[in-house]
Amino acid sequence: MSPWLTLSLAVLFVSFGAILVRLAAAPPLAVSFYRVAIASLILLPFAQRDARRSWPALDGRHRLLLLAAGLALALHFATWIASLSYTSVASSVLLVNTAPVFAIVLSRLFLHEKPPLAVQIAIPIAMAGAAVIALGERAASPASGLSVSRSPAR
């Protein structure tokens, strides 16, 4: 399969993710579980051989790191999917896509990595764009604000 086709399909499927989650009639944790479980089953035939070969070579520390990454992914999906009950799809997707900002800040703090100049310039521009979108949505519909005190949208 062409890498461009694969990339295009991935972008298409990810783009519909939040909308489909919002339309789901199941509780957020159930949606989170099924999203990861179904994706795992789809990827299993492609990853199984490499996983069987590489898993025994991993030491305990790396296995724990993989477990921690899996738990972080579970927490991400649980909180993000739950957020769709409290705010609009646009606001939720906008907020979840600020993850690179946090990655850069945390890598600077804990790993002492300095991001390239282009990234240092791009982050404030991206955050300004996110603010414009969020403020525009809030102005258009005050009820779609980020307050968690309102009742779920379902």
Side-chain angles (χ1 to χ4, degrees):
M1 183 182 298
S2 161
W4 290 107
L5 177 61
T6 304
L7 179 63
S8 299
L9 288 173
V11 168
L12 178 71
F13 292 139
V14 167
S15 298
F16 280 99
I19 296 166
L20 294 174
V21 165
R22 182 67 174 264
L23 295 173
L29 285 178
V31 174
S32 301
F33 171 79
Y34 285 119
R35 180 179 175 142
V36 174
I38 292 168
S40 297
L41 290 174
I42 291 169
L43 293 173
L44 183 65
F46 303 101
Q48 187 174 18
R49 187 182 61 183
D50 288 338
R52 278 190 180 158
R53 186 177 59 234
S54 62
W55 184 257
L58 294 175
D59 61 16
R61 180 177 175 273
H62 285 97
R63 289 181 184 192
L64 284 175
L65 285 172
L66 283 173
L67 178 63
L71 290 173
L73 181 64
L75 181 63
H76 157 74
F77 276 124
T79 56
W80 174 64
I81 290 173
S83 80
L84 290 167
S85 296
Y86 296 97
T87 190
S88 69
V89 169
S91 290
S92 178
V93 170
L94 187 69
L95 288 171
V96 83
N97 283 307
T98 61
V101 175
F102 293 102
I104 289 168
V105 169
L106 294 174
S107 69
R108 179 73 174 158
L109 288 174
F110 295 109
L111 303 175
H112 309 291
E113 296 177 347
K114 185 176 180 185
L117 180 60
V119 172
Q120 293 178 43
I121 293 170
I123 292 297
I125 294 170
M127 293 309 297
V132 167
I133 292 169
L135 292 173
E137 178 185 300
R138 187 163 176 91
S141 175
S144 69
L146 299 177
S147 172
V148 292
S149 62
R150 69 182 264 255
S151 61
R154 289 188 198 217

